[in-house]
Amino acid sequence: MSALNVKTRQRLLSAGTLLGFFLLWELACIATGVSDLILPRPSQIAAVLWEKMPLLWPHTVQTLYTTLSGFALGVMIGIVIGVAIGSSKTAYDVAYPLLVGFSSIPKVAVVPIFVVWFGAGTVPAILTSMVISIFPVVVNVATGLATTEPELEDVLKVLGARKRDILWNVGLPRALPYLFASLKIAITLAFVGTVLAETVAANRGIGNVMMIASGNFDVPMVFAGLVILAVMGVMLYGVSSFVEGRLTGWAQRKSDVVMA
Amino acid sequence: MSEAFVELSDVTVRFNGGTIALSQTDLRLEQGDFVALVGPSGCGKSTILKLVAGLLKPSSGVVLVAKREVGLAGSVRKEALGASVPVRIGLAFQNPTMLPWLTIRENVMIPLKIVSPFREQYARKKKGEYAERAEALLAQVGLKGFGDKRPWQLSGGMLQRASLCRALVHEPQLLLLDEPFGALDQFTREELWSIMQSLWMSQRPTVLLVTHDLRESAFLANRIAVMSARPGRILEDRAVPFARPRTVEMSYAPEFAALVQQLRMRIAHTRAEADTAAQAAEVTA
Ligand SMILES: Nc1ncnc2c1ncn2[C@@H]1O[C@H](COP(=O)(O)OP(=O)(O)O)[C@@H](O)[C@H]1O
Ligand SMILES: [Mg+2]
């Protein structure tokens, strides 16, 4: 009972802090008389959100669609590469340094290439979001597979287990919590990739809206875009955390998951 | 002399780094025998076990299990020579390696999911016959009612019991144990000796037990093979005459203590020899 009270109190405190933050912002703007071309007041941003929602909504949906498409592609490809690398010791040793090398390339750099190949629009945004979200999935799946105890593998080999049996019965279930942990990271990265590509080379999406608004010095609109992104980001993270918690109950006792 | 079920002849194992783990070793196990392998640490006990399991290839020499050469294509199961039925093997290590996402019963049933001919009927029998078989084994090792628990809910000793069940559920003809009780406290260990003995007496697989506990070897085995320090050879192969079923009280009898004492002296001696040899090598180097 008291545990519930503690939780409720924490929630109330968080909400209060957030509210206080906006209130302070509002008051500071009024007190200093700062121009809304530099820092608009939260009430102005809220007004813009309310009035322009019919215009902003399709862009929100576009950004969400691009993020989820890139994420889905990235996860599928990531799983395939991760399984390929993680199920063989040699492949793991050879490919791991390469992967780390690739992952350290700043992903902004690939956007112009995708634009050259596919033209400005949705495709480069999806691809950027995909490329950026592959890596954590690959690393986590490969690590999950590679951490199978050698003794257990011996027990199964002696029983005459084929590689496929070991992968199916031990490797994949063992890699699952690693995979779920990586989804949380991948969705956040996919989102970053999408907005990045939208600001550089797209004609739709919240990133594009913000880019155009900033060109027109419509600062309240830029902030409205930012608020939408923040809300979307928190929601995506929340959903994937929730799914992870649900699916890997047994693995919660082990917290040795790699955060890549 | 009856026919050998497991036979190592003139086996040498050299690892990639150049380490010679075994040198010209011979060892025989008859069907239904219980042989313990003891010796100083690093002398190649686990290496012998892996050879017999087919997990390791000898650099030279021959390893036969039921007259089939093993270690050629990885595992005994690979039907390299003719159409004879492959030997079923059970394996247990010091680390019980239970899968945390399965219940204890499901863990015990893993071999049935993999080994022929159980594999083919697994989908049909996993709820009925196979679950009962696993439960019966669990009851035999004192884990009645724990089948639905998850591994993390059990103590180390209980997990090791479950691991023995997993090694025996497919009724292997050959049971290979590598220090299975090594991580347990003295009381739990002695309890498990008795359980192991009764499992062996009821199923009668051929057992090769690697251990560094000399009392354990004398309690469980029909024969004890003492190995020299690395590169390992079998120094001495002696029968253990005590009647079965043996009890922990019997392990305090004078003849039992005398046997353990002789084994201890033998191993201390081979270690001292190895140390002297190493020092001599250092001096000449
Ligand atoms: N895969 C390996 N590669 C190189 N050396 C090994 C390998 N496995 C074991 N050895 C070495 O071979 C020797 C015998 O090992 P092992 O059979 O495990 O000894 P133990 O009698 O303690 O079980 C040891 O010196 C060990 O370091
Ligand atoms: Mg060993």
Side-chain angles (χ1 to χ4, degrees), chain A residues 67-114:
Chain A
T67 303
L68 292 181
S69 309
F71 169 74
L73 282 174
V75 168
M76 281 190 289
I77 297 174
I79 289 175
V80 171
I81 300 178
V83 168
I85 291 176
S87 47
S88 142
K89 172 102 178 66
T90 324
Y92 189 81
D93 290 344
V94 170
Y96 203 86
L98 277 178
L99 271 175
V100 174
F102 277 125
S103 80
S104 59
I105 298 174
K107 300 303 178 303
V108 211
V110 301
V111 181
I113 301 176
F114 287 146

Side-chain angles (χ1 to χ4, degrees), chain A residues 153-175:
Chain A
E153 212 163 304
D154 284 351
V155 167
L156 296 172
K157 271 193 209 153
V158 162
L159 293 171
R162 294 158 223 169
K163 255 200 127 73
R164 188 155 33 95
D165 293 326
I166 297 179
L167 189 67
W168 192 247
N169 287 301
V170 183
L172 292 181
R174 163 142 297 146

Side-chain angles (χ1 to χ4, degrees), chain B residues 41-42 44-47 178-179 210:
Chain B
S41 111
K45 302 184 292 294
S46 300
T47 302
D178 196 343
E179 307 199 7
V210 165

Side-chain angles (χ1 to χ4, degrees), chain A residues 149 151-152 154-162 164-165 169-170 173-174 249-250 253-254, chain B residues 50 53 55 75 77 89 91 93 95 97 99-101 110-111 113-115 119 152 166 170:
Chain A
E149 294 106 324
E151 286 111 331
L152 182 59
D154 284 351
V155 167
L156 296 172
K157 271 193 209 153
V158 162
L159 293 171
R162 294 158 223 169
R164 188 155 33 95
D165 293 326
N169 287 301
V170 183
R174 163 142 297 146
W250 64 266
R253 332 191 115 255
K254 289 192 177 175
Chain B
K50 284 192 173 144
L55 293 165
S75 92
R77 195 171 176 277
I89 301 182
L91 195 57
F93 291 100
N95 179 356
T97 61
L99 300 175
W101 56 90
I110 287 174
K113 213 169 175 176
I114 291 173
V115 179
R119 177 190 184 106
W152 69 75
R166 184 181 64 190
H170 56 301

Side-chain angles (χ1 to χ4, degrees), chain A residues 30-55:
Chain A
I30 294 170
T32 57
V34 63
S35 152
D36 62 5
L37 274 181
I38 293 170
L39 187 66
R41 282 176 281 126
S43 59
Q44 279 177 309
I45 299 171
V48 169
L49 274 173
W50 181 251
E51 283 163 23
K52 300 278 172 66
M53 209 48 197
L55 189 145

